[in-house]
Amino acid sequence: MKKNKSSMSQLEEVLISGRFAITSELNPPDSADAEDVNRAAMILAGFCDGINAVDASGANCHMSSMSICALLTRVGYEPVYQISCRDRNRIAIQGDILGAAAMGVRNLLCITGDDVSAGDQPGAKPVFDFDSIQLLRTARMMRDERVFLSGRKITSELPLFLGAAANPFVPPYDWRPKRLAKKIAAGAQFIQTQYCFDIPRFKEYMRQVRNMGLHEQVYILVGVGPLRSYGAANFMRTKVPGITIPDEIMDRLKKTPKERQQEEGKNICIEILQQVREIEGVAGVHIMAYRQEELVAEIVQEAGLLPRIAQQPF
Amino acid sequence: MLLEWIYDLTYALLKPFKRFLKPDSFAEKAMISIEKVGKGVVFDCQMCGQCILHSTGMVCSMNCPKNLRNGPCGGVRLNGHCEVKPEQACVWVKIYEGSIASPKYGGEIMWLQPPVNRTLQDTSSWVNLLHGIDQKMKTVWQTQEDKDALEPLFRGSNEKE
Ligand code: SF4
């Protein structure tokens, strides 16, 4: 089931071909300036098979994922459209899926979303009309059966490559592979994981995933990323939901002089990338470099992942 | 588990009275009050009107601040507490434990639960269950075969290799 192409997505094509895939994240600007998006995309497109347009991650208000997708598809880049269940109900979401596909978006990433309490406007109303599995299943229904949730017909094709997130690094640990099985049953074809800093934990997760044969049904892209400094790592660890950083990594950064911490963060990222690459069932990496897009290029190069096929803008 | 047994018993007791337990009837009003108090005390029931307690380890999933019906979010804290309400245990950590302790229905945690029908809020889930209102959808959400294929994965092969 994994091998049948369901979309015109370049990301899907890379994964089917068996090449090691790389996706990355575009940090959404706090501006109304398209150049901010283009500039970041230009750096990433040289090395990535897909660029995530994030949906107000951490519940902080930024340019919306839909509009970033609009800007990216205009130039001919390959976005991964993130939809979270936090801000919109089922009516808005189904409409957005159609609109995104019409603009040329081919990859959808369905996520639950961080709670509003994590962000800059904790007084906002959390929606959560769908959960991520209901969102996935609905998107698959729209694509495969060409109907809305209500049964009403959709009058065109909807070529989409469906993805979901996974966090193997938080409890209940034994449940996480089973949750992955549910996501696959709901329609997930690729997975981007939360930041992986804990290799033993991830190996155990993948062992269970392989036991259940799930690695043959879904492409797993492991989340990695450079920590900018000890302070930044500490912030992510304590303030951002779902991110776990083991003590050894914190210690390693702490012992490094301040001016070399960014370099050390990058080294750690490259080491992790090379280690997860060796694990059976890993199809690629998802590089998250918050406000350090330039580093993605260096990471890809120094991890020995070159040459890559760059995305070709129009 | 005792609660599974009570669930079966309640179902068996109510089924013969299906004719009387109609939606919008006086009998439903009475059921609503009973459910509010009974399930409220035992499960902190949120009266969604489409009860899936036996598929969620006899723990009410609507107490999850994100209303998740298919499993925990990625924000669960390392101590097993909730992302949104750090002082309380993650509802889904409890659901997972409850499902492991439920020999009969535990595997149903693997089912894909459809989106919540918000119009059923504050109606009687027993009445809705007896009349099939809680499962009514215009599209096929998940076939019985799909459910049967997923369920064994719950107690499945995590351990070997
Ligand atoms: S941590 Fe658990 S209870 Fe809290 S929002 Fe996530 S799934 Fe729901």
Side-chain angles (χ1 to χ4, degrees):
Chain A
M1 145 170 143
K2 178 165 150 182
K3 305 283 179 234
N4 285 340
K5 202 156 184 279
S6 58
S7 66
M8 279 127 66
S9 150
Q10 292 170 39
L11 175 61
E12 184 175 16
E13 206 165 284
V14 169
L15 287 164
I16 289 178
S17 77
R19 269 176 291 154
F20 193 74
I22 300 177
T23 54
S24 188
E25 232 162 65
L26 192 144
N27 304 309
D30 289 341
S31 73
D33 186 354
E35 269 320 296
D36 286 343
V37 173
N38 292 339
R39 213 174 306 122
M42 199 148 63
I43 306 174
L44 297 174
F47 302 89
C48 303
D49 306 304
I51 302 172
N52 276 38
V54 300
D55 191 359
S57 61
N60 288 305
C61 195
H62 302 290
M63 188 188 285
S64 76
S65 59
M66 181 63 134
S67 3
I68 291 173
C69 283
L71 293 168
L72 292 180
T73 50
R74 244 183 232 179
V75 196
Y77 293 136
E78 175 89 358
V80 178
Y81 174 35
Q82 222 184 61
I83 307 186
S84 100
C85 301
R86 181 194 52 233
D87 305 322
R88 277 160 304 154
N89 71 7
R90 64 192 77 176
I91 299 174
I93 287 178
Q94 289 170 81
D96 279 349
I97 292 176
L98 286 189
M103 295 189 308
V105 171
R106 294 295 170 251
N107 313 295
L108 213 65
L109 188 80
C110 305
I111 60 172
T112 308
D114 302 320
D115 187 65
V116 293
S117 54
D120 63 345
Q121 303 180 36
K125 179 169 191 200
V127 178
F128 298 111
D129 188 23
F130 273 156
D131 64 31
S132 59
I133 285 179
Q134 293 160 350
L135 168 55
L136 264 171
R137 175 73 187 91
T138 303
R140 193 184 80 183
M141 186 185 288
M142 292 171 71
R143 182 193 67 195
D144 294 350
E145 291 146 56
R146 284 219 221 152
V147 288
F148 293 107
L149 205 48
S150 63
R152 252 175 59 237
K153 280 208 166 57
I154 293 169
T155 56
S156 78
E157 279 195 24
L158 200 60
L160 288 172
F161 186 42
L162 301 178
N167 191 355
F169 309 102
V170 291
Y173 300 113
D174 284 341
W175 162 253
R176 295 290 163 184
K178 293 161 188 167
R179 178 151 167 84
L180 180 65
K182 279 187 84 165
K183 289 196 169 176
I184 295 169
Q189 299 167 285
F190 72 97
I191 296 290
Q192 291 175 334
T193 79
Q194 181 55 277
Y195 277 107
C196 171
F197 291 110
D198 187 346
I199 298 273
R201 168 76 64 204
F202 184 66
K203 282 191 170 154
E204 172 57 22
Y205 174 79
M206 285 305 293
R207 186 184 69 81
Q208 297 188 13
V209 165
R210 287 194 303 272
N211 263 339
M212 297 163 83
L214 302 179
H215 64 306
E216 281 157 2
Q217 298 167 42
V218 77
Y219 299 104
I220 297 172
L221 283 75
V222 189
V224 296
L227 296 163
R228 202 167 359 135
S229 63
Y230 175 75
N234 208 25
F235 176 85
M236 283 166 68
R237 189 190 207 201
T238 50
K239 293 277 159 20
V240 186
I243 299 181
T244 27
I245 307 176
D247 292 338
E248 305 88 80
I249 290 185
M250 296 304 291
D251 288 345
R252 206 171 136 183
L253 280 172
K254 201 173 183 178
K255 283 197 198 112
T256 311
K258 252 210 160 97
E259 61 293 349
R260 286 201 47 254
Q261 281 180 359
Q262 190 178 23
E263 182 72 22
E264 189 66 1
K266 191 180 82 179
N267 290 339
I268 293 170
C269 174
I270 293 169
E271 286 166 29
I272 291 173
L273 198 162
Q274 284 168 331
Q275 286 181 57
V276 296
R277 216 187 148 184
E278 300 300 318
I279 300 173
E280 191 192 340
V282 170
V285 282
H286 175 58
I287 306 176
M288 295 170 273
Y290 186 65
R291 300 224 169 111
Q292 350 179 49
E293 274 110 344
E294 2 36 90
L295 277 191
V296 177
E298 293 176 31
I299 291 166
V300 171
Q301 188 182 11
E302 288 170 40
L305 293 173
L306 291 180
R308 314 243 358 129
I309 303 170
Q311 292 179 39
Q312 297 294 342
F314 299 138
Chain B
M1 182 159 70
L2 180 65
L3 288 170
E4 284 183 300
W5 182 78
I6 294 175
Y7 170 81
D8 284 345
L9 185 72
T10 315
Y11 185 72
L13 284 175
L14 288 177
K15 212 174 166 205
F17 298 100
K18 181 175 165 183
R19 287 193 294 138
F20 305 104
L21 289 166
K22 282 208 194 85
D24 297 322
S25 62
F26 176 77
E28 179 181 25
K29 287 220 176 73
M31 276 305 288
I32 292 173
S33 311
I34 295 169
E35 282 187 40
K36 263 198 183 137
V37 176
K39 283 161 74 178
V41 169
V42 184
F43 304 109
D44 202 1
C45 166
Q46 300 296 309
M47 293 298 288
C48 71
Q50 47 220 293
C51 190
I52 53 166
L53 269 171
H54 59 290
S55 302
T56 53
M58 293 294 175
V59 176
C60 175
S61 62
M62 296 309 274
N63 283 311
C64 158
K66 297 185 187 174
N67 275 195
L68 305 181
R69 309 256 292 184
N70 279 294
C73 71
V76 185
R77 291 164 195 266
L78 291 185
N79 61 359
H81 280 217
C82 171
E83 171 199 324
V84 187
K85 297 183 176 164
E87 67 289 350
Q88 82 179 27
C90 164
V91 170
W92 274 93
V93 168
K94 292 195 274 183
I95 290 176
Y96 183 56
E97 285 162 4
S99 297
I100 292 174
S102 305
K104 186 162 178 194
Y105 297 114
E108 289 185 15
I109 191 177
M110 295 302 291
W111 291 2
L112 303 185
Q113 297 294 343
V116 178
N117 179 351
R118 312 279 166 184
T119 61
L120 297 181
Q121 181 68 38
D122 295 323
T123 60
S124 161
S125 67
W126 277 110
V127 170
N128 296 335
L129 174 75
L130 288 172
H131 294 274
I133 297 168
D134 56 345
Q135 294 295 320
K136 205 153 93 198
M137 277 184 77
K138 293 210 175 99
T139 40
V140 180
W141 185 256
Q142 189 176 32
T143 61
Q144 191 58 46
E145 291 84 76
D146 289 340
K147 287 179 178 173
D148 293 344
L150 272 174
E151 251 190 75
L153 292 179
F154 180 59
R155 299 193 205 274
S157 50
N158 273 14
E159 303 318 321
K160 61 168 196 265
E161 189 173 57

